[in-house]
Amino acid sequence: MIETSLIDGISIQLSQMLLVLALSPLLTGLVRKIKARLLRRQGPPLLQPYRDLIRLVRKEAIVAESASWLFRIVPYIVFAATWVAAALVPTFATGLLFSWSADLIVIIALLGSARFFLALAGMDVGTSFGGIGSSREAMIATLAEPALIMIVFTLALVAGSTQLSTIAGIMLSPGVGLRVSLGMALIALVIVAIAENARIPVDNPATHLELTMVHEAMVLEYSGRHLALIELAASLKLLLYFSLIACVFVPWGLAPAGAPLHVHLIGVAVYVAKLGVAGFLLAAFETMIAKMRVFRVPDFLGAAFMLGFLGTLLLFVSRSL
Amino acid sequence: MKNWSALDVTLWCILALLITAVVAIAIGRARWARWPVYGASLTISGTVCAYSLVHLIAQPAVAWATVLPLGLPWIGANFRIDALAAFFLIVINLGAAAASLYGLGYGRHESAPERVLPFFPVFLAGMNMVLLAADAFTFLLSWEFMSLASWALVMTHHQEEDNRKAGYVYIVMASFGTLALLLAFGLMAGPEGGYAFATMRAHGTSPGLAGLVLALALLGTGSKAGLVPLHVWLPLAHPAAPSHVSALMSGVMTKVAIYGFIRITFDLLGPVAWWWAVPVLFAGAVTATLGVLSALMQNDIKRVLAYSTIENIGLIFVALGLALAFQGNGMKAAAALAMTAALFHVLNHSLFKSLLFFGAGAVLTATGERQMERLGGLLNRMPMTGLLFLVGSVAISALPPLNGFASEWLMLQAILLSPELPQWALKLLVPAVGAMLALAAALAAACFVRAFGISFLGRPRSDAATGAHEVDRLSIVAMAILAVLCLLAGIVPAVIIDAVAPVVQALTGTRMPVQTDVAWLSIVPIAESRSSYNGLLVFIFIAASASLAAFAIHRLASDKLRRAPAWDCGFPDQNPATQYTADSFAQPLRRVFGGFAFRAQEDLHMPLPGDGSPARLTVRLHDLVWEWIYEPVVRLVNVLAERLNHLQFLTIRRYLSLVFGLLVLLLLILAIRP
């Protein structure tokens, strides 16, 4: 009995790792395509991100003369940390073998590690663009991370746990109902997700105008396989945030631990559908809104922080009522 | 042969340290003097560390005590070792051993070794004595011993004006702290003068007095640890000392202050009341946030580290405050969790802060620079120092899988248990404290991206940085040992949690569940369905997927690499001055937080068109604590001194009448209250 559940766990964990890796460029392609269509452009094909990645890994990598060894290993660290984090967020099933090795706080901190090293890589070559990107990324991160921790507090207080699979289970149960705190947490999480993934209105993933770049400025010196890994990590991160929002706020369709195979297949289908809806919403939102000035971003993220904080405070206060 | 207890060993070791100091006075000027002195302190610290470790693991419930015929005649000098003292002995002597090892190499560059070598062992002896002291007199004497020895070390390079000022501010604040502790112990001893800790523990303190003692203990230990607003001396004094002493002061001496606070509040002061938590939590949260914000604004790398120490002290006090809140409400398991987090962070901070100060010392040796604006590109020139400094930076930024994250994760878990607290004051305070904790952690990461990125990455900004070379092997070994310990403590936190369990048991009456029995060395604070973390697995996963990606890409796609000039959007500029600097890196954060925390003002002077003069950006930051608290006090003292100065120039008749008046007054008081 234990062996079958172990094998189940391993196979779910492995298929999830491969699924997120395989789906993430598609998601990026989908968002680009929908954005282009909303602007009445033809847009690149859906599979273009895969072609880009393959082309990039085949090219020789060009590294600046002033770069150190850190510059060359950062892409691997960033990719690995993001992939591990993405592999631990339940996407189509909650019975992940290693879900107990990292709770939601650890997942957030893993993304923090990835960003720490990427910001260092931006400063490594010693150009002004790399510095501007790292410095602004640091500003955004110092506001987004506490907001995210506040959201985690809200979720953890509702669910009595920081384990994502437990949180998803509690959210599925009928006892939760609609709560003000959860609504606040959802809005805050969406804001943070937009900022963390360098989307409009905080950053523009398609820009190469010097003064508007944040993420792109940091990775400006990368090329070839290094750039491919960083692009893939960025796609994975977007997928991770979509999975996180889906797993916590729309957990329907998640296959519970020990469910038969067809439930898992339904779970995968539902998950892909969720990603499609989320990608459409993101593209529509980005099309409708203009990018804001860098120094308006603190207000935007400050709102997320306050919402998360209020949600937590409400739960602290309501515990005794 | 007699079976020696850790107490006997440590006392003999303290004597040996004092003898080393005397020898160091005699040989201090010799070029080879650092070998016997640091060699002796390395051996002695290692011995104490080993014996304390054995004590903590083998017989944690046993407390050895002894009385030496020194000190106050009616109680003597009491010394005692219990689980708490043993834990702190390990932390302190581990740091001391690393600093001695580092000093063996680093000391070669010391211009005035005769000012360092005698005081170094005295400083170590003082810290060890504080931990063993078991009566108020011995404690305060050792405390002053420690303060004065470190003051002497701060004044090593007293020729520099800044260092003299640092020493002056330090000695004033240290005296203030000792005064507060003296009063605290006086209140606890009561009118009968029960100065032995055993007596204080036995008869306890009344609740009203306990509040006063808590305030005094917070002032006394907080001024040594660097709690806001008593922190002003710390960023001046810690960087002024030689780097291995900076590491000792920041990484280790602040922990002695934490020990003092724990000893007084959890052990001597009797049953904990919940409201003690309020000032501790508040002070801790403010200290953490303000400390790291100040660190972000500094350009001197050692000063960045000193301010970051203030931040970490704030985190430890937050965890202690949570432990007080839970303990006061009888929530034993939660109190044990918070206390474990605090002690774990004490150990972690001593490891990575010593490592980082050693790294800063190595940079100072290699370049002669402490200003980050004149560094850069050191990772290519000092690869080992750079790698080890990077490990320390990741650890202090609370990123998995290193040790800083493990202890901060425990703190966040403790906060998540606090909605069960019944008091409204705590219900409103704790979420705010949690928010500030999260903010401080995120800012710390930004701070160390800046510190490492500006100093070690990019292109060199000065000739000194261009010509830098790797430092000697002994310094590197000292740093490497600490870095490995940071990694080990991060990936197997379960071992450390279980090792501090007896200390937590003694302080809170219970302990966290046994962690080393959990499969795969995970840590599970309460229950696995609630939260768990496995640093080892996370580390293995990251290493495995990074290697897998590297292998797959190099094997299946391309492994070609070409070096070329930087791209820089098509406009590369050879001048290293075009890089981002420490100030420009901090500019966005200064605009977000600086207006509130430092009243930051930026004045941009743009020349008129046609005018060839350069544009100037002037940034002014205010140290509000200094301006609002210390300057008024200084002014008041000056005014009073001015007034009292008149008393020096009176005639003999006036003096005699003053004496007569005072005599009458005293007699009157006696007559009214016999």
Side-chain angles (χ1 to χ4, degrees):
Chain A
M1 205 41 223
I2 289 168
E3 262 124 51
T4 51
S5 69
L6 188 67
I7 290 167
D8 279 359
I10 290 176
S11 51
I12 293 173
Q13 184 69 62
L14 273 179
S15 46
Q16 151 126 3
M17 290 187 83
L18 296 176
L19 183 76
V20 291
L21 200 57
L23 275 185
S24 57
L26 183 66
L27 178 66
T28 307
L30 179 75
V31 174
R32 281 188 197 154
K33 183 78 180 172
I34 297 174
K35 263 177 89 172
R37 294 301 298 155
L38 287 172
L39 297 170
R40 297 204 153 209
R41 286 192 286 115
Q42 185 65 41
L46 267 182
L47 299 182
Q48 188 62 38
Y50 295 98
R51 294 183 194 153
D52 289 344
L53 288 177
I54 291 170
R55 193 185 39 145
L56 280 173
V57 290
R58 285 191 180 153
K59 285 191 165 190
E60 75 176 345
I62 299 178
V63 174
E65 280 149 358
S66 53
S68 66
W69 53 263
L70 188 66
F71 188 78
R72 290 171 60 185
I73 64 163
V74 161
Y76 300 100
I77 298 178
V78 170
F79 168 73
T82 318
W83 192 24
V84 170
L88 293 169
V89 178
T91 52
F92 65 94
T94 53
L96 294 173
L97 181 62
F98 290 116
S99 64
W100 47 266
S101 70
D103 65 355
L104 190 46
I105 299 175
V106 182
I107 291 172
I108 290 167
L110 278 173
L111 294 179
S113 298
R115 182 182 22 235
F116 184 90
F117 280 101
L118 198 57
L120 286 182
M123 301 171 80
D124 190 35
V125 175
T127 59
S128 41
F129 285 117
I132 207 173
S134 301
S135 151
R136 288 178 176 177
E137 179 80 6
M139 175 191 78
I140 293 174
T142 51
L143 294 161
E145 256 177 33
L148 211 43
I149 294 287
M150 286 288 107
I151 296 164
V152 175
F153 277 7
T154 311
L155 299 177
L157 291 177
V158 169
S161 166
T162 49
Q163 296 293 70
L164 262 177
S165 43
T166 317
I167 295 178
I170 300 272
M171 292 292 171
L172 270 175
S173 69
V176 175
L178 285 174
R179 292 202 191 198
V180 182
S181 298
L182 286 180
M184 289 177 172
L186 175 60
I187 299 173
L189 185 55
V190 169
I191 294 178
V192 170
I194 287 171
E196 290 268 324
N197 286 295
R199 310 304 299 195
I200 296 173
V202 172
D203 191 5
N204 187 349
T207 188
H208 274 115
L209 269 174
E210 296 86 0
L211 297 177
T212 58
M213 295 188 288
V214 179
H215 179 81
E216 293 297 320
M218 261 196 305
V219 304
L220 198 61
E221 296 295 329
Y222 274 114
S223 60
R225 54 179 182 272
H226 300 146
L227 184 61
L229 279 173
I230 285 175
E231 297 272 315
L232 187 56
S235 299
L236 271 171
K237 195 172 169 188
L238 183 65
L239 181 100
L240 184 157
Y241 271 93
F242 280 177
S243 312
L244 184 61
I245 295 174
C247 149
V248 174
F249 292 100
V250 276
W252 297 281
L254 272 179
L261 183 64
H262 69 274
V263 180
H264 282 108
L265 289 178
I266 295 172
V268 173
V270 173
Y271 174 64
V272 172
K274 284 181 198 167
L275 284 186
V277 173
F280 178 78
L281 289 176
L282 176 66
F285 177 73
E286 280 197 287
T287 317
M288 287 190 294
I289 202 160
K291 190 181 168 306
M292 60 174 74
R293 282 169 52 220
V294 169
F295 286 107
R296 295 290 304 282
V297 172
D299 300 340
F300 186 63
L301 282 170
F305 181 65
M306 283 323 289
L307 280 172
F309 178 62
L310 283 179
T312 309
L313 198 63
L314 270 180
L315 287 170
F316 262 82
V317 169
S318 65
R319 194 56 68 94
S320 62
L321 298 178
Chain B
M1 193 180 143
K2 187 188 157 202
N3 201 3
W4 285 37
S5 75
L7 181 65
D8 303 333
V9 172
T10 313
L11 285 173
W12 282 110
C13 282
I14 289 170
L15 185 65
L17 282 171
L18 295 176
I19 294 170
T20 313
V22 175
V23 173
I25 295 173
I27 61 170
R29 283 174 194 279
R31 292 188 60 80
W32 44 265
R34 68 176 193 279
W35 292 101
V37 174
Y38 290 131
S41 57
L42 174 64
T43 322
I44 294 168
S45 307
T47 313
V48 177
C49 191
Y51 267 89
S52 313
L53 192 61
V54 169
H55 179 91
L56 187 63
I57 288 169
Q59 40 181 344
V62 183
W64 298 96
T66 186
V67 184
L68 298 183
L70 308 163
L72 294 183
W74 63 95
I75 51 172
N78 290 262
F79 292 100
R80 183 166 177 272
I81 188 170
D82 55 7
L84 178 65
F87 170 73
F88 275 90
L89 278 172
I90 296 169
V91 170
I92 273 137
N93 287 290
L94 195 60
S100 309
L101 184 59
Y102 182 82
L104 282 175
Y106 181 78
R108 183 188 329 166
H109 310 287
E110 181 56 57
S111 55
E114 74 278 8
R115 293 188 190 281
V116 179
L117 293 178
F119 296 113
F120 186 82
V122 176
F123 183 34
L124 299 186
M127 291 194 288
N128 279 316
M129 272 160 61
V130 173
L131 299 182
L132 291 182
D135 67 76
F137 182 79
T138 315
F139 186 94
L140 288 172
L141 189 74
S142 320
W143 186 271
E144 277 295 81
F145 213 62
M146 168 181 88
S147 298
L148 290 176
S150 56
W151 174 79
L153 289 165
V154 167
M155 294 293 272
T156 303
H157 300 287
H158 59 94
Q159 296 86 348
E160 290 167 38
E161 172 68 36
D162 284 351
N163 293 354
R164 282 205 295 277
K165 185 190 168 206
Y168 179 65
V169 178
Y170 178 32
I171 196 106
V172 169
M173 290 306 292
S175 313
F176 170 76
T178 312
L179 175 69
L181 281 180
L182 179 71
L183 294 176
F185 281 123
L187 286 176
M188 281 194 291
E192 303 87 30
Y195 287 106
F197 284 178
T199 324
M200 294 181 190
R201 210 174 279 132
H203 68 60
T205 312
S206 69
L209 273 186
L212 198 55
V213 172
L214 178 80
L216 287 168
L218 209 51
L219 287 177
T221 58
S223 71
K224 185 63 82 192
L227 272 188
V228 171
L230 304 164
H231 68 288
V232 286
W233 63 274
L234 196 150
L236 301 173
H238 286 191
S243 294
H244 57 308
V245 178
S246 306
L248 274 183
M249 290 180 73
S250 243
V252 174
M253 187 177 70
T254 52
K255 306 305 174 298
V256 179
I258 302 271
Y259 163 82
F261 184 75
I262 296 179
R263 178 63 81 193
I264 292 175
T265 45
F266 282 87
D267 187 15
L268 301 181
L269 204 46
V272 170
W274 68 267
W275 54 266
W276 295 1
V278 176
V280 179
L281 280 172
F282 186 75
V286 171
T287 303
T289 324
L290 200 63
V292 69
L293 274 177
S294 309
L296 263 167
M297 301 298 142
Q298 305 301 318
N299 292 339
D300 175 336
I301 189 160
K302 285 179 82 174
R303 201 172 266 207
V304 170
L305 297 178
Y307 271 112
S308 143
T309 295
I310 296 177
E311 181 226 341
N312 281 281
I313 292 299
L315 297 181
I316 295 169
F317 269 94
V318 164
L320 289 176
L322 286 172
L324 283 174
F326 291 130
Q327 185 78 1
N329 283 303
M331 296 161 67
K332 299 264 182 197
L337 173 59
M339 182 52 95
T340 310
L343 295 178
F344 195 4
H345 202 72
V346 162
L347 174 68
N348 288 343
H349 182 246
S350 79
L351 294 176
F352 48 61
K353 189 47 64 71
S354 300
L355 167 59
L356 289 169
F357 263 115
F358 293 169
V363 170
L364 190 59
T365 308
T367 64
E369 278 296 342
R370 270 162 48 180
Q371 291 296 327
M372 296 197 286
E373 306 280 30
R374 290 202 282 275
L375 298 173
L378 293 180
L379 190 57
N380 282 328
R381 290 160 183 80
M382 312 168 69
M384 279 312 286
T385 305
L387 172 66
L388 298 168
F389 197 92
L390 179 63
V391 172
S393 304
V394 176
I396 202 170
S397 305
L399 296 174
L402 290 176
N403 58 351
F405 176 73
S407 47
E408 291 202 19
W409 185 81
L410 288 177
M411 282 182 209
L412 293 178
Q413 295 296 341
I415 286 185
L416 286 174
L417 293 174
S418 52
E420 309 298 331
L421 292 169
Q423 292 86 10
W424 279 92
L426 292 176
K427 271 181 185 298
L428 295 175
L429 182 60
V430 171
V433 168
M436 286 169 88
L437 209 63
L439 188 64
L443 284 168
C447 175
F448 280 90
V449 166
R450 176 175 175 265
F452 185 80
I454 301 290
S455 317
F456 284 89
L457 303 179
R459 289 172 286 162
R461 294 179 178 82
S462 68
D463 294 340
T466 315
H469 286 292
E470 189 58 276
V471 289
D472 60 284
R473 294 238 178 86
L474 284 168
S475 304
I476 296 218
V477 169
M479 288 191 272
I481 291 172
L482 291 177
V484 168
L485 287 175
C486 280
L487 182 65
L488 285 180
I491 60 179
V492 282
V495 174
I496 298 192
I497 291 175
D498 277 2
V500 302
V503 188
V504 175
Q505 175 87 44
L507 294 172
T508 64
T510 185
R511 50 166 293 169
M512 278 175 68
V514 178
Q515 302 287 324
T516 34
D517 290 352
V518 181
W520 291 88
L521 291 172
S522 288
I523 51 175
V524 180
I526 305 293
E528 196 172 303
S529 66
R530 195 179 164 92
S531 55
S532 59
Y533 165 59
N534 189 320
L536 184 61
L537 274 185
V538 167
F539 177 66
I540 291 174
F541 286 159
I542 293 181
S545 30
S547 327
L548 184 72
F551 177 77
I553 288 178
H554 283 82
R555 212 54 195 285
L556 303 174
S558 161
D559 59 351
K560 286 209 262 322
L561 188 91
R562 182 153 58 89
R563 290 279 182 174
W567 156 237
D568 205 10
C569 245
F571 297 96
D573 192 325
Q574 293 306 314
N575 189 348
T578 57
Q579 297 177 89
Y580 249 50
T581 61
D583 268 331
S584 45
F585 188 90
Q587 187 256 357
L589 286 163
R590 199 168 59 226
R591 277 188 63 164
V592 177
F593 298 103
F596 173 70
F598 309 107
R599 293 249 202 103
Q601 286 170 314
E602 295 188 4
D603 292 325
L604 181 63
H605 171 71
M606 285 293 270
L608 292 170
D611 185 359
S613 62
R616 291 209 172 277
L617 175 71
T618 319
V619 177
R620 263 179 307 188
L621 298 178
H622 295 267
D623 186 343
L624 296 182
V625 172
W626 184 259
E627 288 173 16
W628 288 355
I629 299 179
Y630 287 86
E631 284 184 1
V633 170
V634 170
R635 275 199 296 274
L636 182 69
V637 169
N638 282 341
V639 168
L640 287 179
E642 190 75 21
R643 290 279 158 80
L644 290 176
N645 196 19
H646 293 301
L647 288 179
Q648 286 191 329
F649 304 104
L650 301 184
T651 57
I652 189 84
R653 279 177 299 137
R654 292 266 175 97
Y655 281 128
L656 283 176
S657 52
L658 277 177
V659 170
F660 180 70
L662 188 68
L663 191 65
V664 171
L665 189 71
L666 288 176
L667 285 173
L668 275 176
I669 292 173
L670 272 184
I672 294 164
R673 288 192 59 188

